[in-house]
Amino acid sequence: MFYFRQIFIHIADTVFLQVGFQFRFRNYSTLSGNFDHWHLDYIQLDKDRKRNEVIKDFAFTEPIRTMLKLYTSVPWTHYNTAPQSYINDVMLYKLRNLGDNTDFGNSDYQVTKNGESNPFFKSVEELTLSVPASDTFSVKHFVNSGQNNFKFPIDTNQRQLFKAKLRFSATDDDLRENDTLVHFQLFDRFYSYDDCSAEKTYHLNLTGTSVVVEFKTPIADTLRSVMINFVETFEPPSNQKINIVVYKDLKDAPFYESGPVDVIYNPEGKFYRYNIDPAAVDGTFYVGYQQLDQNKTFLGYDVNFNNQDRTFISQIDGQWSNSIFLGTTMIRASFGRGDEKPLAKEEVTEGLEIVKFYPNPAQDWIYFEEDINDEIEIYSISGKLEHREFVSTEINISHLPNGFYLIKRINKKTTKL
């Protein structure tokens, strides 16, 4: 775990002290792998600031991984048969009080079906917490337990997506915009333990070695593909072959083997789908692959959650042991063939008044359908401020070169031009 460090940079050169000032952060990294990562937060440009100035804010430090007990995603049709067995009892999230005073805060959450604006569930409990100064703290909400006893509502769809919004509101907080944490809970056609993020790689390099991951289904269904995230590294890929395997019991031989298939490398978090002959499974089963040569196969490895007790390695036929590494191999068991359209994370804008104007495109003037009586800013598509003016009903844009622009009202209503 790496923590943020606050840096102050005094900008005194008058060449920078003007409207439209921009800056860029450039990172020089090594070419041997994903080892040089930077995260920037709280970039604040302001005058008359003091060194070591305290930021009065409460900030989420980690995302919600999943609202399910074991998986990050399960087939929606499987969930519908046994909702109680899948949903987590509690939801734990972490924040940090960046201020130098102990404070109090309220917390709750709500859940919305994808594409809808009104939540169908609001937390019955609202927590009131005393939080320490300049320190991290945890908030725990009941989900499928306690006062809430929440379950995602079942329906006849094949897939489903939900949005959970968790709120924490403190008394003395200067930045209210980041007081909400959003988590999308996906129910697709596959089982997954990973969060699509490969912080490391897991590799096999002995001919005949196999790695499989354990899954459990509450109903009999037909397994149709195995999804694997093979990650490119500094070692150039060769013409590697693997054997996709499916087991019902690791004491027996695999009941499905693909024979030699190509190792397909993808960017981090992207899975290649190995379609297999339809295989009936019920209860516990195992999917993975067997190494067919000495060349290393680099498998995406998610270190944010430990599933080593569900990951099995075999170097000798019939002899299996759990992985010795903490983490999750990025192998998924899918009951679809991947021809379904992606479930888009539809952003429904709540309570937003659209700024209406005409004509669009425009040449010299644009006219607003209502009295704006507000300050308008016009930005180029690259983010450069091109014009600022207090506007009533019209604005002259004849001085702007041809192109795409964004119009921003100071009360933060935006639209495209």
Side-chain angles (χ1 to χ4, degrees), residues 367-400:
Y367 304 91
F368 297 93
E369 293 186 3
E370 61 178 25
D371 290 344
I372 296 296
N373 293 324
D374 211 340
E375 196 168 24
I376 291 291
E377 294 177 342
I378 299 180
Y379 291 84
S380 69
I381 201 67
S382 63
K384 180 182 178 182
L385 178 64
E386 299 287 354
H387 184 75
R388 177 189 287 138
E389 181 182 335
F390 188 88
V391 173
S392 177
T393 60
E394 60 188 24
I395 186 171
N396 190 328
I397 59 168
S398 60
H399 61 288
L400 297 177

Side-chain angles (χ1 to χ4, degrees), residues 188-219:
D188 210 312
R189 301 295 304 277
F190 57 80
Y191 283 100
S192 64
Y193 293 112
D194 65 88
D195 61 5
C196 268
S197 176
E199 290 78 22
K200 294 184 178 181
T201 59
Y202 191 102
H203 69 265
L204 305 180
N205 62 351
L206 294 176
T207 302
T209 302
S210 298
V211 55
V212 297
V213 178
E214 177 187 279
F215 298 95
K216 292 182 180 180
T217 170
I219 59 174

Side-chain angles (χ1 to χ4, degrees), residues 28-44:
Y28 294 90
S29 61
T30 58
L31 299 178
S32 57
N34 293 332
F35 302 121
D36 307 284
H37 299 279
W38 294 80
H39 297 277
L40 305 182
D41 202 359
Y42 290 103
I43 300 173
Q44 184 175 356

Side-chain angles (χ1 to χ4, degrees), residues 398-409:
S398 60
H399 61 288
L400 297 177
N402 292 337
F404 290 95
Y405 294 89
L406 294 173
I407 294 179
K408 178 178 180 181
R409 192 172 176 177

